[in-house]
Amino acid sequence: MFDELSDYRKKIREFALREFTEETSERYDRNEEFPFEIAKKSLSLGMVDMENPAKILIAIEEMCRVDAGLGISATLPYFGGEVLFLFGNDKQKKILNDVYHGKVMLSLGITEPSGGSDVAGLKTFAKKSGNKYILNGSKMFISNGAIADYMVVLARTSEEEKRHHGLSTFLVNTKSRGFKATKLENKLGVRATNTAEIEFNDVELSEDDLIGEEGKGFYYIMTFFNISRIYVAGQALGISEGAFDKIKGYVKTNNITDEATMFEVADVSTRIEAARQLTYNAASYLFKYDPKPELTSMAKAYAGETAVYSSEKAMEITGKSPDESIQRIFRNAKIMEIWEGTSEVEKLVISRQILKGD
Amino acid sequence: MFDELSDYRKKIREFALREFTEETSERYDRNEEFPFEIAKKSLSLGMVDMENPAKILIAIEEMCRVDAGLGISATLPYFGGEVLFLFGNDKQKKILNDVYHGKVMLSLGITEPSGGSDVAGLKTFAKKSGNKYILNGSKMFISNGAIADYMVVLARTSEEEKRHHGLSTFLVNTKSRGFKATKLENKLGVRATNTAEIEFNDVELSEDDLIGEEGKGFYYIMTFFNISRIYVAGQALGISEGAFDKIKGYVKTNNITDEATMFEVADVSTRIEAARQLTYNAASYLFKYDPKPELTSMAKAYAGETAVYSSEKAMEITGKSPDESIQRIFRNAKIMEIWEGTSEVEKLVISRQILKGD
Amino acid sequence: MEDEYELLRDTVKEFSEKNLDEKRIETGGIVENIIQNIASQGFLGAKIPSKFGGSELDEKSYNIILREISKYSPSVAMKIFILNSLYYPLVKNTEMESTLSDASSGKMNVSVDFLNKNKIEGEKFNGTLNDILNADSNNIIVFGKGPSLVNGGTVMEKDFMGFRGLKFGDIKIESELQHINTKVTLNDILEDSYNAISSINLGLISGALDKAMEYSTIRKAFDSPLSSYEPVAFNLSRMVSQKNILETILNNNIDSYYALNFSMNILVETTRYALNVHGGYGYFGDFGVEKFYRDAMVMRSIFYGNSDLKKLSGHVYGNKVGFI
Amino acid sequence: MEDEYELLRDTVKEFSEKNLDEKRIETGGIVENIIQNIASQGFLGAKIPSKFGGSELDEKSYNIILREISKYSPSVAMKIFILNSLYYPLVKNTEMESTLSDASSGKMNVSVDFLNKNKIEGEKFNGTLNDILNADSNNIIVFGKGPSLVNGGTVMEKDFMGFRGLKFGDIKIESELQHINTKVTLNDILEDSYNAISSINLGLISGALDKAMEYSTIRKAFDSPLSSYEPVAFNLSRMVSQKNILETILNNNIDSYYALNFSMNILVETTRYALNVHGGYGYFGDFGVEKFYRDAMVMRSIFYGNSDLKKLSGHVYGNKVGFI
């Protein structure tokens, strides 16, 4: 499935190498600024093909390999799009075409300030009032939060039902009255991406803004996570490969041959190869509509840890040569163990699934 | 390649579960005795199909999953057979059919007492004398050494050429005068396998006993290792899976749900899945005659470490319940990091290959 | 370390080097002669009060004995541990205390069901005791409502990969239960044994590293000693430095929770690597290094589990953290 | 720890808590006011002889200062380290020694090219000095045949992820080289700084763990505090126990090689995990925990490499192992 796309992969890599120069990457990282031009260019040229999931995965990997801040920004406009694609009504789905071409930016609001990984404990409430819903509450760490045109929002719609029951998804126009986004600054890494805290103050939603059926939101979002996790694995894989590119470059340029370093090279490359096989294998099930949640979670958890591990090794091996690009990789990597479910959450998913079988 | 063989896999698993009972496994382990009956049964019934490498790999994995001592013994009669298959003359190749059916046992003599992983430094010498060779020297840690009918032996044939030049391979009949095998006892694990020290005292070989061309022995053996490593990865994968079977059984039987253990379950199963993907991916290249030595070495090193890791985790998690079968898995696992090239040697192979590319 | 302790250490070391051949002990057991020897040296009854014929040594001396002996014979160290750390605190100040005289002189072999595999009820035990280490004992403490003593019986040996000098297995017995009138629990004695356990661990680590360090300077690969290969030298040096840190913590009695945790964290890795350094030879019993890996794994799996991590957490957080 | 050291520790702690806000220091630098403060407290010239206005403190006191300050402001600790551990031993007993007066009073800002990126020759340096930490210095020691002093110049700042309170970058200068008449080498001073480096590491570890331990008892997930989840409680407790072991080694000055090795082995893992515990919040500067991870990685990559592992191996094997 992925071997056949080697031309596409090459095209993406060339694009990333051309556009994500060190100077550009540094600038957006330092200024903590979203690269609108780059995101537009990658999408409007049809460079990133959002309609083929295998291509998205490859684009994410190859772009993050060059720079994760820019690479994630360029592939994130679609963030949450799967929920619309799978469960949205026709009007909602129509937006997707604009997203594919970089004209509209999506976002997904799930996590809350007090919530973290506890999705089912969320407090944002959409109160039915006639044929409208009135949305109140807040969301935290929302990617694209301050720049999106639309946001897929998970909210509680029933006071009786607890935890993961009684949750629903809505498509919220960010220009709605009562929608407020505050950009969060001073991130450790992936600083070109936009992160925001969101407040909903009596945001009025119509019944048409409901995605799918009322009360099924938790299920929709879990379905989404089972897909998006593989893209996070792709980000992590790309970061790992980028870190290894740096190690290889350093070792070769400086003609380093000592055995301790050779062992590190072997360990890092082996772990990355394992992350790659886990990711592609899980993705190939998922993209054939036969998802294996435990394999996806394994890929995400393992690739995330590998990104951190590889970036730390790149720092160690290059040692007294604190190259800014390597530091950036190191700073970027850490988020891979945190977003779309921390490694801890993945581990619970994995063990639960694994122990279910015989 | 491997998914299609699920029926074969099932057949092997059933055979192993039936034949390798705990009582049988214990007996051969305690007595440090080779299971001739079992090895014969598995081969003579055509249970293990030695002519299809993917099937061999599956047989090794599934048998080692139940018991590595018996599983390796049952799949080792072919040990060194690839050298004959690829480089042997017609007469030598004819032996293979008997091997496939459990009538003849092979062995491979490379390592020397002073040598360890330093294949090129070996001292056994085959001196040309007319149309004969006179073999002198000794070999160490030779699997099947004391029970084999024939042994593929790597020896030096030139005094001028150093290191890996001037080495040749021979097929030695173990009934030859001057061939002496001493069984080595008191192994930590895989105690059903036979291990011996070999001495050659003026063993007379004919020109027909030379395998392939004189002076090409090192190349033949390296080719062999590139194949056999994948089988060791298969052994290690099987041991890892067997260890995980024990963990799963213990956790379920005792209804253990604490989070620390759940995390361990996730970590172990993820590593095993990574080892599996690495092994199958490397094997699928190899078995399509497109070997990628670095992928094979990664698979072997990673799976070997995973076997040790999983078996240690099985000991830890089952804690105060020192089940003899789990202890045996633990004792068996360690050899995976040692034979067919220690993990250290693999790491040098990997880094050398990886740094060759761009 | 003060002079008296150094002297003790040297004495134990010299004795062990001369008298304790673990390879023979693993096959032949701890024979009468050895028991007499360790008893007469005062090692067997190290902590037992002198009125019962013991040496009444302080904690530090006891730990030194365990450590130095387990470098040579982990089995003998385990036997001493069972008597002093498990059996003694359970019978202390009870009417069973008098059994200590025979135990510390080696006349009586004692054991404790510290794996706690047997649920004991009633006044009599007629059946099979499972999984007892040092199973050929004539006095075994088992746990029901409280600790009780039972007589030994017919041992059905099982393979146990660690401390092979001691018999391990199930015991068929028919015996009265002699209740021991004490408030001390199995949980208590195990928690109080942290330093002793860590000392055995330190002995295993030291024994394995001594072997590996020596081998690394003697054995050649590709014409150079193993120690000239960075990964070998770096790994072994890192492990030696950790071993020395553990020794320091124990010698200064810093904190038994930290010592246990630290020793358990480095134990298996170190003994495994020591085996690795020996290559193929390491896999064979004759080289005397694989035993450390086996014993280490047994220590790790038996004496360090979830409940110990909870104790550590309670210790660190300053209260029993409310685990859910 | 004896009373005088405890007193010192409390003083430094109190001072740091009140005066050192690393968040502000990372954006605004170590402003004049802070420099005056740490100078007047005697922390800046901690080891400098009193005849040059320093505090002439012993090694242990110096290490306590580094440790306590780096819990709050790693940047300030690094500034003190550069002066006392790198600059001072290089000018000690030379005619440049008099510069110490201005340095310890904070009037002069000094630096050392300890990354050793610049090959210096001749009598004059006209060009760009690469990769200097504390780059806005007026006195910088560089290395050619031996150490020399050059004047500072125009700084071209580069992003450096650690110790952001100090400027980092390349410096355009035109300066005479003032040779320093000493036999002391860069290699020597780095090896002599092992305990100081480990003390900074300990500060980073402690600072990160303090944050994480506190957060773990306050923050709830699934309606229970994080500390009630076994993996969180167990990991943090294990790390706290290692931190305390490191503190013990340093307080008792056991062995600087072991301390460095141990601290470097736990440094990155601990600060990373402390960040993890904070979830998404940990990724943001405002929560004051990600900085420890950044600084830790810088310490690990700059002050611990192949050459240090060789030194450790030489120390452990008792001779320079002949590496091939």
Side-chain angles (χ1 to χ4, degrees):
Chain A
M1 178 177 275
F2 298 97
D3 287 352
E4 299 147 20
L5 291 170
S6 61
D7 285 346
Y8 179 78
R9 181 185 292 276
K10 213 177 138 198
K11 194 178 77 169
I12 297 287
R13 173 144 177 86
E14 279 162 8
F15 174 80
L17 286 172
R18 193 169 60 240
E19 296 290 329
F20 304 177
T21 60
E22 178 56 23
E23 190 262 329
T24 306
S25 304
E26 264 176 31
R27 196 174 66 239
Y28 285 102
D29 178 67
R30 287 190 189 178
N31 300 343
E32 213 159 358
E33 189 192 328
F34 188 85
F36 287 101
E37 286 310 308
I38 287 174
K40 237 189 182 90
K41 203 183 270 183
S42 72
L43 289 165
S44 62
L45 293 177
M47 181 61 67
V48 177
D49 184 346
M50 286 284 176
E51 298 188 72
N52 178 342
K55 285 188 173 177
I56 300 181
L57 184 64
I58 288 173
I60 288 172
E61 178 191 339
E62 289 301 333
M63 287 189 178
C64 288
R65 179 175 169 191
V66 181
D67 184 74
L70 298 176
I72 293 171
S73 297
T75 50
L76 212 56
Y78 189 70
F79 187 44
E82 291 85 353
V83 181
L84 297 184
F85 179 76
L86 292 172
F87 308 109
N89 57 36
D90 289 347
K91 198 182 134 199
Q92 290 163 348
K93 275 187 194 161
K94 258 195 359 210
I95 295 175
L96 289 175
N97 199 42
D98 285 345
V99 176
Y100 295 155
H101 293 92
K103 288 178 199 156
V104 159
M105 177 100 51
L106 285 183
S107 174
L108 179 74
I110 299 171
T111 304
E112 304 198 345
S114 64
S117 298
D118 183 10
V119 174
L122 64 79
K123 299 191 178 76
T124 294
F125 204 93
K127 193 180 171 65
K128 189 95 185 229
S129 162
N131 57 358
K132 294 204 182 311
Y133 293 90
I134 309 297
L135 187 65
N136 279 288
S138 56
K139 297 287 177 182
M140 195 62 176
F141 307 133
I142 305 305
S143 291
N144 289 350
I147 56 173
D149 299 293
Y150 294 94
M151 184 177 293
V152 174
V153 173
L154 184 67
R156 195 166 290 287
T157 43
S158 162
E159 289 190 47
E160 285 85 52
E161 292 168 291
K162 294 269 177 262
R163 304 286 307 163
H164 55 280
H165 299 291
L167 299 178
S168 305
T169 40
F170 296 91
L171 184 63
V172 179
N173 186 323
T174 61
K175 279 158 210 84
S176 309
R177 184 202 298 261
F179 180 100
K180 190 182 162 199
T182 310
K183 186 183 172 195
L184 298 172
E185 299 200 310
N186 206 6
K187 284 203 294 279
L188 173 61
V190 294
R191 290 161 60 95
T193 66
N194 179 283
T195 312
E197 183 171 4
I198 311 293
E199 286 170 72
F200 307 110
N201 282 307
D202 291 331
V203 174
E204 227 180 85
L205 303 171
S206 75
E207 281 179 327
D208 278 0
D209 294 329
L210 178 70
I211 302 171
E213 293 173 40
E214 202 180 294
K216 293 210 170 164
F218 187 79
Y219 163 74
Y220 297 159
I221 294 303
M222 288 302 118
T223 304
F224 168 79
F225 276 144
N226 279 336
I227 302 169
S228 68
R229 280 188 175 114
I230 208 68
Y231 295 132
V232 177
Q235 295 167 359
L237 178 59
I239 291 176
S240 309
E241 291 164 339
F244 191 65
D245 289 340
K246 296 291 174 187
I247 293 173
K248 222 159 67 171
Y250 179 81
V251 166
K252 285 182 159 190
T253 306
N254 298 282
N255 201 19
I256 288 166
T257 58
D258 69 274
E259 290 207 325
T261 308
M262 292 305 101
F263 273 42
E264 302 272 24
V265 166
D267 283 340
V268 177
S269 61
T270 300
R271 280 196 57 165
I272 294 175
E273 184 62 30
R276 184 181 296 127
Q277 296 304 329
L278 284 175
T279 302
Y280 289 174
N281 185 54
S284 69
Y285 282 108
L286 182 65
F287 297 162
K288 281 182 295 193
Y289 302 99
D290 179 23
K292 308 266 185 231
E294 75 276 19
L295 294 185
T296 310
S297 287
M298 284 178 179
K300 197 263 178 185
Y302 192 90
E305 288 178 7
T306 301
V308 171
Y309 167 79
S310 307
S311 74
E312 289 180 359
K313 284 295 169 191
M315 286 293 301
E316 281 180 25
I317 291 172
T318 61
K320 297 193 181 177
S321 301
D323 184 324
E324 194 166 329
S325 68
I326 299 172
Q327 297 175 42
R328 199 170 54 249
I329 292 172
F330 169 77
R331 289 188 287 100
N332 290 339
K334 191 75 202 68
I335 196 67
M336 295 297 132
E337 291 185 333
I338 299 174
W339 68 17
E340 300 292 276
T342 60
S343 289
E344 281 74 21
V345 171
E346 299 308 329
K347 287 178 185 178
L348 293 181
V349 172
I350 295 165
S351 58
R352 207 176 297 138
Q353 292 281 345
I354 287 282
L355 293 172
K356 257 192 348 203
D358 58 6
Chain B
M1 180 176 272
F2 298 96
D3 287 350
E4 300 147 21
L5 292 169
S6 60
D7 284 345
Y8 179 78
R9 181 185 294 274
K10 214 178 136 199
K11 193 178 77 170
I12 296 287
R13 175 144 177 86
E14 279 162 8
F15 174 81
L17 285 172
R18 192 170 60 240
E19 297 290 330
F20 304 178
T21 61
E22 178 56 23
E23 188 265 327
T24 307
S25 304
E26 264 176 32
R27 193 174 69 239
Y28 285 102
D29 177 68
R30 287 189 188 175
N31 299 344
E32 214 160 358
E33 190 190 329
F34 188 86
F36 287 101
E37 285 311 308
I38 286 175
K40 236 187 183 93
K41 201 182 272 185
S42 72
L43 289 164
S44 62
L45 293 178
M47 182 61 68
V48 177
D49 184 347
M50 286 283 179
E51 299 189 69
N52 179 343
K55 286 188 173 178
I56 300 180
L57 185 63
I58 287 172
I60 288 171
E61 178 190 340
E62 290 300 333
M63 288 188 176
C64 286
R65 180 175 168 191
V66 181
D67 184 75
L70 297 176
I72 293 170
S73 297
T75 50
L76 212 58
Y78 189 70
F79 188 43
E82 290 86 354
V83 181
L84 296 183
F85 178 76
L86 292 171
F87 309 111
N89 58 37
D90 289 346
K91 197 180 136 202
Q92 292 163 346
K93 277 186 193 162
K94 260 199 349 217
I95 295 175
L96 289 176
N97 201 41
D98 286 345
V99 176
Y100 296 154
H101 294 92
K103 291 178 196 154
V104 158
M105 177 101 47
L106 285 183
S107 174
L108 179 73
I110 298 172
T111 304
E112 303 199 344
S114 63
S117 298
D118 183 11
V119 173
L122 66 77
K123 299 190 177 77
T124 294
F125 204 94
K127 194 180 169 69
K128 186 96 187 226
S129 162
N131 55 359
K132 295 205 181 310
Y133 292 91
I134 309 298
L135 187 66
N136 278 290
S138 55
K139 297 287 177 184
M140 195 61 175
F141 307 130
I142 305 306
S143 291
N144 288 350
I147 57 173
D149 301 292
Y150 294 93
M151 185 178 291
V152 174
V153 173
L154 184 67
R156 196 165 289 288
T157 44
S158 163
E159 289 191 47
E160 285 87 51
E161 293 168 290
K162 292 271 177 262
R163 304 286 306 164
H164 56 277
H165 299 290
L167 299 178
S168 305
T169 40
F170 295 92
L171 184 64
V172 178
N173 186 323
T174 61
K175 280 157 209 84
S176 308
R177 183 201 299 260
F179 180 99
K180 189 183 163 201
T182 310
K183 184 183 173 195
L184 298 172
E185 299 199 313
N186 205 4
K187 283 203 293 281
L188 173 61
V190 293
R191 289 161 60 96
T193 67
N194 178 285
T195 313
E197 181 170 5
I198 310 294
E199 286 170 72
F200 307 110
N201 282 307
D202 290 332
V203 174
E204 229 181 84
L205 302 171
S206 76
E207 282 179 326
D208 279 356
D209 294 328
L210 180 69
I211 302 171
E213 293 176 40
E214 201 179 295
K216 294 209 170 165
F218 186 80
Y219 163 76
Y220 297 159
I221 294 302
M222 288 302 119
T223 304
F224 168 79
F225 276 145
N226 280 336
I227 301 169
S228 67
R229 279 188 177 115
I230 208 70
Y231 294 132
V232 177
Q235 295 167 359
L237 178 59
I239 291 175
S240 309
E241 291 164 338
F244 191 66
D245 289 339
K246 295 290 174 188
I247 293 173
K248 224 161 61 171
Y250 179 80
V251 166
K252 286 183 159 193
T253 306
N254 297 283
N255 199 20
I256 287 166
T257 58
D258 70 272
E259 289 208 325
T261 307
M262 292 306 101
F263 273 43
E264 302 273 24
V265 165
D267 283 341
V268 176
S269 61
T270 300
R271 280 195 58 166
I272 294 174
E273 183 62 32
R276 184 182 297 127
Q277 295 304 330
L278 284 174
T279 301
Y280 289 173
N281 185 53
S284 69
Y285 283 108
L286 182 67
F287 296 161
K288 282 182 294 194
Y289 302 100
D290 179 23
K292 309 265 185 234
E294 76 276 19
L295 293 186
T296 311
S297 286
M298 283 178 181
K300 197 264 178 186
Y302 192 90
E305 288 178 7
T306 301
V308 171
Y309 166 79
S310 308
S311 74
E312 289 180 358
K313 285 294 167 190
M315 288 292 301
E316 282 180 25
I317 291 171
T318 61
K320 298 192 181 177
S321 301
D323 182 326
E324 193 165 333
S325 67
I326 300 174
Q327 295 176 43
R328 198 170 56 248
I329 292 173
F330 169 78
R331 289 188 286 98
N332 289 339
K334 192 74 203 72
I335 196 68
M336 295 296 133
E337 292 185 333
I338 298 173
W339 68 17
E340 300 292 277
T342 60
S343 289
E344 281 73 22
V345 170
E346 298 307 330
K347 287 179 185 179
L348 293 181
V349 172
I350 294 165
S351 57
R352 207 176 296 137
Q353 292 279 347
I354 286 281
L355 294 172
K356 255 191 353 201
D358 58 5
Chain C
M1 209 155 46
E2 301 95 288
D3 289 352
E4 42 171 339
Y5 293 113
E6 278 188 29
L7 189 66
L8 174 67
R9 185 193 61 194
D10 295 344
T11 308
V12 184
K13 188 179 154 75
E14 201 182 315
F15 169 85
S16 305
E17 218 158 28
K18 222 169 79 185
N19 298 289
L20 304 178
D21 176 353
E22 183 74 355
K23 205 184 137 194
R24 274 169 69 181
I25 289 171
E26 281 212 332
T27 29
I30 306 175
V31 294
E32 193 52 33
N33 185 33
I34 293 175
I35 292 173
Q36 284 318 315
N37 260 328
I38 56 171
S40 68
Q41 290 284 332
F43 304 152
L44 184 56
K47 279 176 76 174
I48 315 288
S50 52
K51 60 179 169 179
F52 301 114
S55 311
E56 208 170 327
L57 294 174
D58 62 9
E59 193 66 24
K60 185 167 175 176
S61 302
Y62 171 56
N63 291 334
I64 288 172
I65 290 172
L66 287 176
R67 171 200 318 178
E68 292 304 318
I69 288 186
S70 63
K71 275 188 207 173
Y72 296 89
S73 172
S75 299
V76 170
M78 181 52 72
K79 195 177 196 79
I80 296 171
F81 172 81
I82 290 172
L83 171 57
N84 292 275
S85 288
L86 306 182
Y87 188 89
Y88 166 51
L90 286 165
V91 301
K92 190 174 171 182
N93 298 327
T94 75
E95 50 193 3
M96 309 294 179
E97 200 172 42
S98 59
T99 58
L100 290 169
S101 297
D102 280 354
S104 58
S105 70
K107 277 187 209 127
M108 190 175 73
N109 191 12
V110 301
S111 188
V112 175
D113 177 22
F114 61 91
L115 292 171
N116 203 15
K117 285 309 197 40
N118 303 286
K119 298 288 152 254
I120 309 292
E121 285 168 9
E123 298 299 315
K124 224 171 136 31
F125 188 85
N126 188 352
T128 303
L129 270 182
N130 290 310
D131 289 354
I132 303 292
L133 186 61
N134 207 24
D136 52 345
S137 304
N138 23 23
N139 253 2
I140 306 169
I141 296 180
V142 295
F143 300 90
K145 264 176 230 155
S148 307
L149 264 175
V150 295
N151 299 327
T154 316
V155 181
M156 291 160 297
E157 262 195 86
K158 295 207 264 188
D159 187 50
F160 192 50
M161 69 179 196
F163 305 100
R164 283 188 168 152
L166 303 178
K167 284 213 190 311
F168 177 81
D170 303 336
I171 315 177
K172 249 204 166 80
I173 53 173
E174 192 182 327
S175 168
E176 302 291 325
L177 292 177
Q178 299 172 266
H179 291 293
I180 303 171
N181 188 19
T182 181
K183 293 235 167 73
V184 177
T185 67
L186 178 59
N187 192 43
D188 294 337
I189 59 170
L190 288 173
E191 194 163 348
D192 286 347
S193 301
Y194 279 178
N195 273 340
I197 294 169
S198 301
S199 297
I200 295 178
N201 289 348
L202 175 57
L204 299 175
I205 290 169
S206 304
L209 280 176
D210 285 352
K211 287 249 167 211
M213 288 292 287
E214 192 192 347
Y215 193 76
S216 76
T217 56
I218 292 169
R219 173 76 177 181
K220 289 189 172 187
F222 300 92
D223 295 330
S224 302
L226 290 177
S227 62
S228 56
Y229 293 91
E230 284 184 351
V232 174
F234 291 178
N235 276 332
L236 284 178
S237 299
R238 180 173 59 79
M239 289 171 178
V240 168
S241 91
Q242 288 175 331
K243 185 258 294 177
N244 287 335
I245 288 172
L246 175 59
E247 198 167 329
T248 302
I249 306 172
L250 283 169
N251 280 342
N252 296 299
N253 194 14
I254 302 297
D255 183 306
S256 66
Y257 295 89
Y258 299 166
L260 183 78
N261 180 67
F262 186 63
S263 72
M264 289 296 184
N265 283 338
I266 64 175
L267 176 64
V268 176
E269 185 206 22
T270 306
T271 52
R272 184 203 313 129
Y273 191 73
L275 189 162
N276 271 15
V277 167
H278 286 76
Y281 292 100
Y283 207 63
F284 285 84
D286 293 3
F287 274 73
V289 67
E290 53 88 47
K291 72 164 185 275
F292 291 115
Y293 182 49
R294 275 190 282 115
D295 292 338
M297 192 71 244
V298 166
M299 291 299 289
R300 176 69 174 74
S301 55
I302 285 186
F303 292 110
Y304 195 60
N306 208 289
S307 64
D308 301 293
L309 283 160
K310 279 185 178 154
K311 283 172 191 161
L312 174 69
S313 297
H315 181 64
V316 166
Y317 274 93
N319 61 344
K320 301 274 176 234
V321 187
F323 295 102
I324 52 170
Chain D
M1 205 155 49
E2 302 94 289
D3 289 351
E4 43 171 337
Y5 293 113
E6 277 188 31
L7 189 65
L8 174 66
R9 186 193 60 193
D10 295 343
T11 309
V12 183
K13 188 179 156 72
E14 201 182 317
F15 170 85
S16 305
E17 219 160 21
K18 220 169 78 186
N19 298 286
L20 304 179
D21 175 355
E22 182 74 354
K23 205 185 138 193
R24 273 168 70 179
I25 289 172
E26 281 212 332
T27 29
I30 305 175
V31 295
E32 192 53 33
N33 184 34
I34 294 176
I35 292 175
Q36 283 318 314
N37 259 329
I38 57 171
S40 68
Q41 291 283 332
F43 303 153
L44 183 56
K47 280 176 75 174
I48 315 290
S50 52
K51 62 178 167 178
F52 301 115
S55 311
E56 207 168 326
L57 295 173
D58 63 7
E59 193 67 23
K60 186 167 175 177
S61 302
Y62 171 57
N63 290 335
I64 287 172
I65 290 172
L66 288 176
R67 171 201 316 179
E68 292 303 320
I69 288 186
S70 63
K71 274 188 207 173
Y72 297 88
S73 173
S75 299
V76 170
M78 180 52 72
K79 193 175 196 84
I80 297 171
F81 172 81
I82 291 173
L83 171 58
N84 292 275
S85 287
L86 306 182
Y87 187 88
Y88 166 52
L90 286 165
V91 299
K92 192 176 169 180
N93 298 328
T94 74
E95 48 192 6
M96 309 295 179
E97 199 171 41
S98 57
T99 58
L100 290 170
S101 298
D102 281 353
S104 59
S105 70
K107 278 187 210 131
M108 192 174 74
N109 189 12
V110 301
S111 189
V112 174
D113 177 21
F114 62 89
L115 292 171
N116 205 13
K117 284 309 197 38
N118 302 285
K119 297 291 151 251
I120 309 293
E121 284 170 9
E123 298 300 316
K124 220 168 140 26
F125 186 84
N126 187 351
T128 303
L129 270 182
N130 290 311
D131 288 353
I132 303 294
L133 186 61
N134 206 23
D136 52 345
S137 305
N138 24 23
N139 253 3
I140 304 168
I141 296 180
V142 295
F143 299 90
K145 264 175 227 153
S148 306
L149 264 176
V150 294
N151 300 326
T154 316
V155 181
M156 291 161 296
E157 264 194 85
K158 295 207 264 189
D159 187 52
F160 192 48
M161 69 180 196
F163 304 100
R164 283 186 168 155
L166 304 177
K167 284 210 188 315
F168 177 80
D170 303 336
I171 315 177
K172 250 207 164 80
I173 52 172
E174 195 182 326
S175 167
E176 301 293 324
L177 292 177
Q178 297 172 266
H179 291 292
I180 303 170
N181 190 20
T182 181
K183 292 236 166 71
V184 177
T185 67
L186 178 61
N187 192 42
D188 293 338
I189 57 169
L190 288 175
E191 194 162 349
D192 285 347
S193 303
Y194 278 178
N195 273 341
I197 293 169
S198 301
S199 297
I200 295 177
N201 289 349
L202 176 56
L204 299 176
I205 290 169
S206 303
L209 281 177
D210 286 352
K211 288 250 167 213
M213 287 292 287
E214 193 194 345
Y215 192 77
S216 77
T217 56
I218 293 170
R219 172 78 178 180
K220 289 190 171 185
F222 300 91
D223 295 329
S224 301
L226 291 176
S227 61
S228 56
Y229 293 92
E230 284 184 351
V232 173
F234 292 178
N235 276 331
L236 284 178
S237 299
R238 179 174 58 80
M239 289 172 180
V240 168
S241 93
Q242 288 174 332
K243 184 258 294 177
N244 287 336
I245 288 172
L246 175 59
E247 200 168 325
T248 301
I249 307 172
L250 283 169
N251 281 342
N252 296 300
N253 194 13
I254 301 297
D255 183 306
S256 66
Y257 295 89
Y258 299 166
L260 183 79
N261 179 68
F262 186 63
S263 72
M264 288 297 185
N265 283 339
I266 64 175
L267 176 64
V268 176
E269 186 206 21
T270 306
T271 53
R272 185 203 312 129
Y273 191 72
L275 189 161
N276 272 16
V277 167
H278 286 76
Y281 293 100
Y283 206 63
F284 285 84
D286 293 4
F287 273 73
V289 66
E290 53 87 47
K291 70 166 188 274
F292 292 116
Y293 182 49
R294 278 191 278 116
D295 291 339
M297 192 71 244
V298 166
M299 291 301 289
R300 176 68 176 76
S301 55
I302 285 185
F303 292 110
Y304 195 60
N306 208 290
S307 64
D308 301 293
L309 283 160
K310 280 186 177 154
K311 283 171 192 161
L312 174 69
S313 295
H315 181 65
V316 166
Y317 274 94
N319 62 344
K320 300 275 175 236
V321 188
F323 294 102
I324 51 172

